[in-house]
Amino acid sequence: MAAIPFQLENTGALQGVRLRRFWLGASVYMVCAPLLWFAYAAGFIQRDAVLLCTLAIIANNIAFYWIFRTGYNLQFVDPSLTWVQMLAGTVILMFTAYSFDRARAVVLLLCLVILVFGTFRFRVREYVVASMVMLMGYVGVINIAMWRKPETVDVWMEAFQWLALACVLPTFGYIGGRISDLRMRLRRTNDELGSALGTIQRMATHDSLTGLPNRVLFSETLEHALAQAARHKYPVALLFMDLDRFKNINDTLGHPVGDRVLQIAARRVAGAVRDSDIVARLGGDEYVVLVENYQHPQDLTEVAQKVIAALGAPLEVDGHSLAISASIGICTYPVDARDALELVANADAAMYRAKEMNPGASCFYAQAQDDRSVGRLELEADLRRAAERGELRVHYQPKINLASGRIAGVEALMRWQHPRHGLLMPEKFISLAEETGLIVGMGYWILTAACRQAKSWSDVGYPAVPVAVNLSARQFRQDDLVEQLAAILRTTGLPAARLELEITESMVMSDPDAATVTMKRLRAMGIRLAMDDFGTGYSSLGVLKRFPIQSLKVDRSFVRDLPHNGDDVAITRAVIAMAHSLRMDVVAEGVEHQGQFDTLRREGCDQIQGYFCKPPLAEVDLIAFLDEERLALRATAGDD
Ligand code: C2E
Ligand code: MG
Ligand code: MG
């Protein structure tokens, strides 16, 4: 798996710094060479001595240049060779001082320049030691000079010079040491800051559990890879994998075991692919492998097979023998997707297809497409995550009481704010949700949301209207429906009498006895029940009397042709009369114009719902409407 570098290795850069420092020292030596010749001209030093000193300087510089250039210095504990350079400088300096017959003090001034070699590396102690070495060197020079050429030595003068040097050098060394300390502290802080920044960067771009690149880094890498692929005209493929039944492991063995499984799976996937392929964890138990520049689709099947085989190896975590497998969806660019978003979405859709048809195997997007229409496939993958991504919305359509003209309740209707397709209506996704079983979770989501919101309206003083929520057939058959509803009412605090459930004829007619039991239990809790889309199924009013229903919603197909269609007027009249005899309220759906409104009122319908009054409203708009209603109610109360 390709590692994504975030910090550069800098040994080369450091060696460059050392070489530059060497050139600085060498230039000081080079300045000294002409000075020596100047001293010769002034008669301070003999010609042969000048030659020797110059040669020593040149030899010294060539030697150090060679050492730094070849990197031989890296074998030493201190690759900057501070001590060696300092000692070599001191030896040359002392030799030069010895060679001077007069004005030796001038040469000794260069001790200060030599100490500069220690800048940033010597601490106070080392500086003091270096000063001592120089002072001792000077003592040696005077002694040798007194022995070899006593005529050049003025003992008192030399002693004074030595003392002066003994005062200056340690002071200089102390200051130099403090500067080095400061710089070292600065460098440490800098290093700490650098590594903290590195950690932050790593945390933002890598998954902390597995160490793999996360969604953020992966998206960037993918964009870059697609741009490269487009420029150089080669294909890119994305393998999207999801562990099968991972939720079971988490639920039954606990999250620590689940986490270990995810780590092992990450290692196995990364180990199964080439170093150049990029592996990332997108979240949960989803991993992706980006394969750049493959030769043949067959190569991708092989990669998928390798990954599947690696994942399938026996696994033991905390004494539990586990078997894991993954389903993989494969999508290619540019054939099956035009951009990064589409590539991920399509690979994801193909993965779901694999899971559905052949869990633990791989499926190409193209193949999945043959099985089903594209839009539906994509939508299905997206719908699975809609709730957790917070894309579901509730709109509310008011029901109006025909006698009073005031709001009688609201119906909660689900909407899906899709990231690419915009706001989707139920006709686009409810049947899909029903087929895939996702409707159950979505149904509980809207129940909770609607109950919570309805409670909050009355809490702040708006009319305490009942809220109606549509139940799906699957949800209605859930064994724990009643318990779930009780829990929702308990957590949201909405009184049961303010919740109405809309069920359809087909839901109850498939097993009327079981349905009656469920309905009675719901009624016992105080929840109201309504028969939705009445007239579209096969039930007769006679059958209806078995069910504990409070209201009947006449389907809009009977309302549409009112008042012109005589049959529809007759049916509506009969339905209203019979419903009333069974003590049910009648709600007419889909009322769009005045003629329908007048007919329904004349026939004694209780409530109407339709664009003629209000379309389904987002919560803010409903609140504005509730506000109007509150004012109207106050005014009516005032009139009384
Ligand atoms: P429904 O329960 O019969 O809801 C009434 C539908 O009629 C709503 O469509 C509403 O927007 C539409 N409508 C209201 N007034 C008029 C009108 O004057 N003229 C016309 N032509 N239509 C009108 P929507 O919101 O698209 O919902 C469609 C169906 O989707 C609902 O029919 C319901 O069966 C289902 N549905 C909506 N939300 C949910 C939900 O949360 N869970 C379940 N299981 N089903 C839902
Ligand atoms: Mg309804
Ligand atoms: Mg309806």
Side-chain angles (χ1 to χ4, degrees):
M1 183 200 56
I4 299 176
F6 66 95
Q7 225 173 15
L8 271 178
E9 186 37 65
N10 62 358
T11 3
L14 269 178
Q15 191 67 351
V17 172
R18 287 182 198 120
L19 209 63
R20 274 203 298 282
R21 275 202 212 123
F22 159 78
W23 280 118
L24 204 70
S27 60
V28 175
Y29 279 118
M30 291 310 164
V31 172
C32 289
L35 280 176
L36 279 173
W37 287 98
F38 187 72
Y40 162 66
F44 298 157
I45 184 170
Q46 301 294 319
R47 191 169 189 273
D48 292 351
V50 172
L51 269 174
L52 263 177
C53 292
T54 312
L55 278 176
I57 287 174
I58 293 172
N60 178 72
N61 280 332
I62 290 178
F64 278 110
Y65 177 73
W66 177 81
I67 290 172
F68 282 118
R69 196 68 235 184
T70 55
Y72 190 63
N73 61 318
L74 295 175
Q75 301 188 356
F76 295 87
V77 182
D78 170 22
S80 297
L81 305 180
T82 318
W83 268 116
V84 186
Q85 291 199 75
M86 176 95 62
L87 289 176
T90 307
V91 169
I92 294 174
L93 184 71
M94 291 308 153
F95 178 68
T96 314
Y98 170 77
S99 308
F100 267 59
D101 298 332
R102 284 195 293 140
R104 227 166 248 134
V106 181
V107 180
L108 292 171
L109 273 180
L110 287 176
C111 283
L112 296 179
V113 177
I114 291 178
L115 283 183
V116 171
F117 276 122
T119 315
F120 301 148
R121 275 182 301 276
F122 274 5
R123 293 169 172 259
V124 174
R125 213 168 71 94
E126 285 150 329
Y127 263 124
V128 172
V129 172
S131 310
M132 291 305 159
V133 170
M134 286 174 185
L135 289 170
M136 271 153 53
Y138 187 29
V139 170
V141 166
I142 296 166
N143 276 302
I144 297 172
M146 278 173 68
W147 169 45
R148 298 289 300 267
K149 39 181 187 180
E151 71 286 355
T152 65
V153 181
D154 172 348
V155 177
W156 286 110
M157 182 67 167
E158 301 292 354
F160 171 73
Q161 277 171 184
W162 189 89
L163 271 177
L165 210 58
C167 291
V168 171
L169 284 187
T171 315
F172 187 83
Y174 177 77
I175 295 169
R178 299 301 308 220
I179 294 175
S180 294
D181 269 356
L182 258 177
R183 174 176 130 124
M184 277 177 201
R185 230 174 297 152
L186 253 176
R187 173 181 268 190
R188 215 173 309 129
T189 315
N190 203 18
D191 286 353
E192 277 167 13
L193 272 177
S195 86
L197 196 70
T199 313
I200 292 170
Q201 249 173 8
R202 214 182 149 68
M203 278 164 64
T205 53
H206 287 75
D207 165 43
S208 58
L209 185 66
T210 60
L212 291 178
N214 62 12
R215 189 182 281 275
V216 174
L217 181 56
F218 176 72
S219 304
E220 270 174 35
T221 314
L222 182 60
E223 291 285 355
H224 179 73
L226 293 193
Q228 288 287 101
R231 190 166 321 129
H232 302 293
K233 307 250 175 305
Y234 60 75
V236 166
L238 185 70
L239 277 67
F240 194 114
M241 67 198 72
D242 184 283
L243 300 185
D244 300 323
R245 296 172 306 278
F246 175 71
K247 197 174 171 307
N248 282 357
I249 298 182
N250 246 353
D251 291 348
T252 53
L253 303 177
H255 286 264
V257 174
D259 285 354
R260 283 289 300 135
V261 170
L262 289 176
Q263 287 169 333
I264 294 170
R267 217 173 312 131
R268 288 183 174 182
V269 174
V273 300
R274 286 181 313 188
D275 278 352
S276 55
D277 299 338
I278 288 170
V279 180
R281 179 177 171 222
L282 295 194
D285 56 348
E286 291 171 354
Y287 301 88
V288 282
V289 179
L290 181 67
V291 181
E292 288 180 78
N293 202 2
Y294 59 93
Q295 296 295 318
H296 196 269
Q298 184 60 30
D299 300 348
L300 301 173
T301 315
E302 276 169 25
V303 177
Q305 275 167 354
K306 269 194 214 158
V307 171
I308 287 169
L311 281 172
L315 171 74
E316 189 150 320
V317 179
D318 285 354
H320 303 286
S321 298
L322 303 170
I324 52 171
S325 64
S327 305
I328 303 182
I330 307 172
C331 185
T332 58
Y333 170 89
V335 178
D336 293 328
R338 282 157 303 178
D339 56 30
L341 221 60
E342 209 172 47
L343 186 63
V344 176
N346 292 352
D348 184 14
M351 183 275 291
Y352 270 113
R353 195 72 194 138
K355 231 179 227 304
E356 216 172 63
M357 304 303 293
N358 203 0
S362 62
C363 173
F364 275 86
Y365 176 70
Q367 177 189 337
Q369 219 179 347
D370 289 344
D371 298 347
R372 263 192 199 197
S373 79
V374 197
R376 197 172 164 79
L377 197 69
E378 255 181 52
L379 217 58
E380 183 182 323
D382 290 345
L383 190 59
R384 286 179 192 275
R385 300 197 180 81
E388 71 194 50
R389 289 184 186 160
E391 292 168 1
L392 297 181
R393 305 272 181 277
V394 196
H395 281 193
Y396 295 94
Q397 186 172 34
K399 288 184 276 185
I400 304 298
N401 187 314
L402 271 175
S404 65
R406 301 267 69 90
I407 186 165
V410 291
E411 179 178 3
L413 295 158
M414 200 180 302
R415 302 289 181 261
W416 177 14
Q417 186 65 52
H418 190 280
R420 274 170 291 131
H421 305 309
L423 192 70
L424 298 184
M425 293 290 145
E427 60 176 26
K428 287 271 195 297
F429 62 91
I430 289 285
S431 63
L432 182 65
E434 268 165 357
E435 259 176 53
T436 49
L438 292 169
I439 191 72
V440 177
M442 289 163 66
Y444 288 130
W445 176 85
I446 191 171
L447 269 164
T448 313
C451 289
R452 182 170 297 132
Q453 289 178 341
K455 172 81 168 56
S456 72
W457 305 328
S458 53
D459 281 353
V460 293
Y462 295 117
V465 291
V467 62
V469 180
N470 294 284
L471 273 196
S472 75
R474 270 209 200 218
Q475 206 177 357
F476 187 68
R477 286 198 303 267
Q478 295 283 305
D479 292 336
D480 60 351
L481 173 74
V482 178
E483 289 74 20
Q484 293 275 7
L485 278 164
I488 290 172
L489 289 173
R490 207 171 37 245
T491 50
T492 58
L494 185 78
R498 280 183 56 201
L499 176 62
E500 184 171 77
L501 297 177
E502 295 193 3
I503 48 187
T504 57
E505 293 167 74
S506 56
M507 278 159 63
V508 291
M509 294 317 286
S510 58
D511 186 353
D513 295 334
T516 312
V517 172
T518 309
M519 289 161 93
K520 283 193 169 144
R521 290 181 65 198
L522 293 171
R523 268 314 287 153
M525 285 168 65
I527 296 174
R528 291 174 54 87
L529 299 171
M531 183 59 76
D532 201 359
D533 305 339
F534 183 73
T536 54
Y538 307 101
S539 53
S540 65
L541 278 170
V543 182
L544 269 192
K545 71 170 188 250
R546 294 176 50 187
F547 303 127
I549 287 170
Q550 286 70 58
S551 60
L552 205 66
K553 297 187 77 177
V554 180
D555 191 67
R556 60 171 173 270
S557 54
F558 298 99
V559 175
R560 191 178 47 228
D561 299 332
L562 295 181
H564 314 293
N565 186 321
D567 289 348
D568 284 345
V569 175
I571 291 171
T572 308
R573 183 175 303 149
V575 168
I576 293 171
M578 290 186 76
H580 282 167
S581 73
L582 291 170
R583 288 177 302 282
M584 295 176 189
D585 283 341
V586 180
V587 184
E589 296 185 297
V591 179
E592 293 178 350
H593 54 76
Q594 189 74 49
Q596 295 166 332
F597 179 87
D598 292 341
T599 314
L600 288 162
R601 190 155 58 174
R602 201 173 47 243
E603 298 300 334
C605 181
D606 302 288
Q607 295 169 18
I608 56 156
Q609 183 181 350
Y611 300 158
F612 182 65
C613 304
K614 284 283 169 198
L617 304 168
E619 202 203 358
V620 273
D621 300 321
L622 177 75
I623 286 179
F625 180 64
L626 287 178
D627 207 26
E628 285 169 25
E629 287 292 299
R630 173 168 58 176
L631 293 176
L633 282 171
R634 276 214 202 118
T636 324
D639 291 349
D640 293 347

